Amino acid sequence: MNNAAGVGLSKRLNRFKGRATRLIMIAGAAFGLGAGFAAPASALPLLVNGGFEDGGGSFDGWLLDDPSLFTVVQCPGPGPQVAEGFCSAALGAVATNGTLTQSFATTIGTVYDVSFQFLWDGGSPANFTAFIDGAPIFSRIDPPAISNFGTFATQFVASGLSSELAFAFRDDSGFMALDNVSVSAAVPEPASLALLALGIAGLAATRRRRGR
């Protein structure tokens, strides 16, 4: 190989190394940015008083409609009737459904996590349905008694600047317990963030090739 060819090859190798280094730096920066977003263990809750603990036990932040007046907040402290904290909602609407609703701000197109915990007493007639913006996400009719709280969790995509979580319930012979109700913006998984970083690096590489 003559000197001119050797110099030309050396220059091409140096240019390749420079581009590779820049792409690695871009990918690293993007991954670091994603890791920064993922740092919180969970997103901030959007609901007010999801555990019914405010004011020593209340429905503050919620709109309750129970004509029978048999829906209350109970605060026995930690124990079988409370999933978390000291209080829970005792849902005991008689003869007709009661409702418990709360609206919260959302961003159109954003994915949200919604979850709650429940305890059935086995009474009948009884029913329980949870809704997001009027669409049922969970429903039970005459559910059998359970000794420990169950947990329901799902996701939804917001279609407006506000959304509404609602519960409709009836338990003529006793009380259902509801606790630990939560809605928060979904946090991306680390694997998704890594893919985002690689995608940004790939876009940068494509743009550089087109610019040559």
Side-chain angles (χ1 to χ4, degrees), residues 1 16 38 46 56 68 71 81 83 98 109 122 131 134-135 140 156-157 162 192 211:
M1 179 182 298
F16 174 79
L46 299 176
S68 70
T71 296
Q81 294 297 313
F131 303 85
R140 294 291 185 272
F156 71 96
V157 179
S162 68
S192 298

Side-chain angles (χ1 to χ4, degrees), residues 4 14 20 41 53 63 74 85 106 138 142 156 167 173 180 185 189 195:
N14 287 336
E53 305 280 341
L63 179 61
Q74 57 183 354
T106 50
F138 178 84
D142 292 337
F156 71 96
F167 300 98
S173 61
N180 204 20
E189 295 293 333
L195 289 174

Side-chain angles (χ1 to χ4, degrees), residues 62-177:
W62 295 91
L63 179 61
L64 171 65
D65 181 16
D66 176 8
S68 70
L69 304 180
F70 276 102
T71 296
V72 298
V73 172
Q74 57 183 354
C75 296
Q81 294 297 313
V82 177
E84 184 175 290
F86 293 86
C87 304
S88 65
L91 313 179
V94 175
T96 186
N97 278 353
T99 58
L100 189 63
T101 62
Q102 186 171 153
S103 297
F104 49 94
T106 50
T107 301
I108 296 173
T110 296
V111 179
Y112 292 89
D113 294 318
V114 56
S115 63
F116 54 84
Q117 293 184 271
F118 54 85
L119 185 68
W120 315 134
D121 68 341
S124 179
N127 62 73
F128 178 93
T129 304
F131 303 85
I132 287 288
D133 292 333
I137 57 173
F138 178 84
S139 186
R140 294 291 185 272
I141 297 176
D142 292 337
I146 54 177
S147 57
N148 296 305
F149 273 84
T151 299
F152 174 78
T154 190
Q155 293 184 321
F156 71 96
V157 179
S159 59
L161 297 179
S162 68
S163 297
E164 181 185 79
L165 173 63
F167 300 98
F169 50 86
R170 174 181 175 179
D171 192 342
D172 284 21
S173 61
F175 295 89
M176 303 173 177

